Amino acid sequence: MEIIKVANYEAMSVQGAHHILTHLITKQINVLGLATGGTPEGLYRTLREKINEKALSLNHLHTVNLDEYIGLPADSPASYHHYMHDIFFKYIAIPTENTHLPNGNAPDVVEECAHYEKVIESLGGVDLQLLGIGHNGHIGFNEPGSPFNGRTRIVDLAPSTIEANARYFSSKKDVPRQAITMGIENIMESRHILLLASGKEKADAVKALIEGNVSEEIPATILQHHPNLTIIADEAALSSVTRALPTI
Ligand code: GLP
């Protein structure tokens, strides 16, 4: 595991965008796994600028998102389809048919999970997966107790996740209770992982991720076993970690 400690959210976003850009340019990756939430917003803003500055061709690139709420129309401002379009896809020249998210509005969501697995498989798997981390250590929507061998499936959201994500809805009661998420096994199959974390409220989850026992009760702890994990986190998110880490 490589840990890059930066001063604040802005520095995390710039470093994170640079990390992805390096993979796009020098490793010529074909499949980029994407995440949503407040954490990667700054990264997307920087990355779209750099991609356009360098006039990077993205015709070959496919993106696959980790998750989507069940039952929200794709054009709902709180859907992850909308989020991705609004902050990233609409600014870059990527073919729309190359951007994949689970369809939380499919008539048969069980079938949709199987379909999403096939999409990822047909692309040859994920080269680099971007992740955030929930307050409770969730990754994607793999909440505490999720099996480490879990694959794309329907999940119930934890009360703390509903609480944390209510800020994107007019009220807490509007937050969907279920989502489709890639499983932990899918995430672990990614060839590289980049996890971002910012802020004091992530400090406990980040400490567990780096120094805790590997346990399904804190899903992110499994990432300790990933051979190519990079964590870019700010001082506040790393404030509970015992080992000394210099800020770059
Ligand atoms: C959400 C998403 C995750 C995200 C996490 C943290 O519920 N499903 O992919 O990493 O929670 O979100 P935030 O970055 O807003 O703290």
Side-chain angles (χ1 to χ4, degrees):
M1 148 186 337
E2 179 191 22
I3 305 170
I4 299 172
K5 182 177 177 181
V6 293
N8 52 31
Y9 180 87
E10 187 53 34
M12 176 200 75
S13 303
V14 171
Q15 286 291 329
H18 181 73
H19 186 91
I20 294 183
L21 207 64
T22 303
H23 274 73
L24 289 173
I25 295 171
T26 63
K27 303 194 177 173
Q28 299 189 324
I29 60 167
N30 295 318
V31 184
L32 180 60
L34 298 177
T36 51
T39 308
E41 284 178 8
L43 175 149
Y44 288 129
R45 281 193 283 267
T46 306
L47 186 58
R48 72 194 192 204
E49 267 173 41
K50 298 281 171 211
I51 284 172
N52 291 333
E53 257 171 45
K54 293 184 185 299
L56 220 60
S57 165
L58 300 177
N59 287 332
H60 68 289
L61 187 73
H62 284 255
T63 63
V64 287
N65 266 77
L66 285 167
D67 46 18
E68 177 58 288
Y69 293 111
I70 290 178
L72 275 191
D75 61 356
S76 154
S79 81
Y80 289 163
H81 278 76
H82 187 274
Y83 171 107
M84 288 309 308
H85 176 74
D86 206 46
I87 199 157
F88 194 45
F89 297 150
K90 78 176 179 195
Y91 293 96
I92 57 172
I94 187 167
T96 306
E97 63 274 20
N98 289 9
T99 62
H100 311 274
L101 287 98
N103 178 4
N105 266 318
D108 182 340
V109 275
V110 174
E111 174 53 36
E112 172 62 14
C113 295
H115 169 72
Y116 204 61
E117 284 280 330
K118 289 208 185 80
V119 169
I120 298 168
E121 194 188 327
S122 71
L123 294 171
V126 175
D127 292 308
L128 170 63
Q129 177 66 56
L130 174 63
L131 292 179
I133 185 168
H135 300 96
N136 59 7
H138 77 233
I139 45 177
F141 270 133
N142 293 284
E143 298 284 19
S146 294
F148 284 157
N149 64 357
R151 302 200 63 88
T152 305
R153 68 200 190 290
I154 299 166
V155 290
D156 295 330
L157 304 190
S160 64
T161 302
I162 293 169
E163 189 81 44
N165 290 3
R167 67 192 194 277
Y168 294 106
F169 296 82
S170 19
S171 81
K172 197 167 117 183
K173 70 173 174 27
D174 296 329
V175 184
R177 269 35 185 177
Q178 289 191 309
I180 296 176
T181 186
M182 276 190 210
I184 291 177
E185 198 166 73
N186 300 95
I187 293 171
M188 289 297 283
E189 282 170 1
S190 312
R191 288 178 269 279
H192 291 85
I193 295 179
L194 170 63
L195 183 141
L196 300 185
S198 170
K200 183 85 185 125
E201 63 282 4
K202 298 292 173 69
D204 288 348
V206 170
K207 181 180 170 59
L209 154 63
I210 296 173
E211 299 181 336
N213 295 327
V214 175
S215 152
E216 288 179 346
E217 285 316 306
I218 308 183
T221 56
I222 190 65
L223 299 174
Q224 291 175 19
H225 292 170
H226 195 280
N228 295 303
L229 168 68
T230 301
I231 298 171
I232 303 179
D234 65 14
E235 288 173 354
L238 286 163
S239 57
S240 298
V241 170
T242 323
R243 77 172 79 160
L245 293 163
T247 300
I248 64 156

